[in-house]
Amino acid sequence: MAFASNPLSLSVTEPAFEAWLRETGYLEILDDRAASADPSPPSSFPSPSSSSSTAVPDAPLRPRTSAPAAGRGGLAARAFSSMRTLASLFTLNPFAKLTPEDLSVGTPSWTLEFIGAAGSYSWPAGSAQARMRVQENVRRYARNYALLSVIVFACTLYKMPVSLLGLIACLVLWEFVRFCGDKWQLEERCPGLRQAFVHIAQLATAVVLYMCNLQLAIAYTVGVSYAVLIFHAFLRKLTPRRIPGANQHGRFLQRR
């Protein structure tokens, strides 16, 4: 049976369709079903009841070492599937669907939503589920990840006091340039001199940051923050959001 083409099906854009899935909770349902689906390899040996009724008396016996071999084959297949799912992290862009609106919303709860319970984590069933988890969790917990990056950077500067002093010196230098420009009104009176001050400040900033190894602190912060982001979003299940007023709406439906 062939269905006629429906032009209305082309009017829904992908962002609108994803927003509908997110609001109705279907993303959580898809993730939960994919995580609960654990296909196990079929057994190569029949049950004793069936083997007794269909066994041939003169058939040669199979070696007993085939059962451990089949078990090792299943473990190897699962290990290969897990490694392939983990390798898919290096090919996806976790910020592909991140929008400015995701950064303007309130910060989710650290204990109830971001960390969650022990059952809120599981290994994805495949690369498609891993991609869906990572991109959706980055959108949900974007402010949490940003705050974690700031904390990691602060801890890195605490362990590297020379870099911290260099950063403070650069901030003081630029504040001095701004103060001189406002006091003497260099932008209106002598813009060329102001540009010279700015170039000198830029050169001094580059030298100070290089001498105090601030680039190492930034690289360490980026690496640790990205690793925490990618593995948390990879293992974190898509749980329903706690929307304010949802309990009142549910009570209203129960009354009706």
Side-chain angles (χ1 to χ4, degrees):
M1 179 178 179
F3 294 94
S5 59
N6 185 8
L8 296 178
S9 61
L10 303 178
S11 60
V12 180
T13 60
E14 183 177 355
F17 182 66
E18 291 182 356
W20 177 80
L21 287 176
R22 191 175 299 105
E23 292 174 358
T24 53
Y26 278 106
L27 282 178
E28 292 81 2
I29 295 177
L30 292 176
D31 181 70
D32 183 68
R33 288 186 177 181
S36 60
D38 188 12
S40 57
S43 176
S44 302
F45 301 94
S47 60
S49 59
S50 60
S51 61
S52 61
S53 59
T54 59
V56 180
D58 298 334
L61 297 177
R62 295 182 179 179
R64 295 183 179 181
T65 57
S66 59
R72 288 194 296 269
L75 292 177
R78 291 191 178 185
F80 179 76
S81 177
S82 300
M83 292 177 59
R84 184 175 56 184
T85 303
L86 184 62
S88 65
L89 294 177
F90 300 97
T91 61
L92 62 89
N93 181 14
F95 310 103
K97 298 183 179 179
L98 186 64
T99 59
E101 289 77 11
D102 298 326
L103 298 173
S104 60
V105 298
T107 304
S109 174
W110 287 91
T111 55
L112 298 179
E113 298 185 38
F114 183 74
I115 299 178
S120 302
Y121 299 89
S122 66
W123 192 268
S127 58
Q129 185 186 9
R131 183 181 298 105
M132 179 181 65
R133 278 188 182 182
V134 170
Q135 294 179 349
E136 179 63 23
N137 283 327
V138 167
R139 296 191 62 181
R140 293 185 178 187
Y141 309 116
R143 294 175 64 92
N144 301 85
Y145 295 136
L147 185 56
L148 279 178
S149 300
V150 174
I151 295 175
V152 172
F153 184 63
C155 295
T156 305
L157 292 179
Y158 177 77
K159 300 296 290 185
M160 302 175 65
V162 178
S163 300
L164 178 59
L165 293 178
L167 181 61
I168 295 175
C170 293
L171 295 178
V172 171
L173 176 62
W174 282 102
E175 183 64 23
F176 177 74
V177 171
R178 186 193 65 82
F179 173 77
C180 293
D182 295 342
K183 182 179 181 180
W184 297 328
Q185 298 180 358
L186 296 179
E187 187 173 1
E188 294 81 8
R189 294 181 179 180
C190 189
L193 183 59
R194 180 181 179 277
Q195 289 296 329
F197 279 155
V198 170
H199 292 321
I200 293 174
Q202 290 176 347
L203 181 60
T205 301
V207 172
V208 170
L209 294 182
Y210 178 77
M211 294 300 294
C212 66
N213 291 329
L214 186 62
Q215 66 275 9
L216 297 180
I218 296 176
Y220 180 80
T221 302
V222 172
V224 173
S225 301
Y226 185 80
V228 172
L229 179 148
I230 202 71
F231 281 106
H232 177 270
F234 176 75
L235 298 174
R236 184 69 166 87
K237 292 182 180 180
L238 297 180
T239 54
R241 288 182 171 179
R242 289 174 171 81
I243 304 175
N247 295 333
Q248 290 80 354
H249 181 67
R251 293 173 183 174
F252 176 74
L253 293 178
Q254 289 179 358
R255 291 177 182 177
R256 295 189 60 182

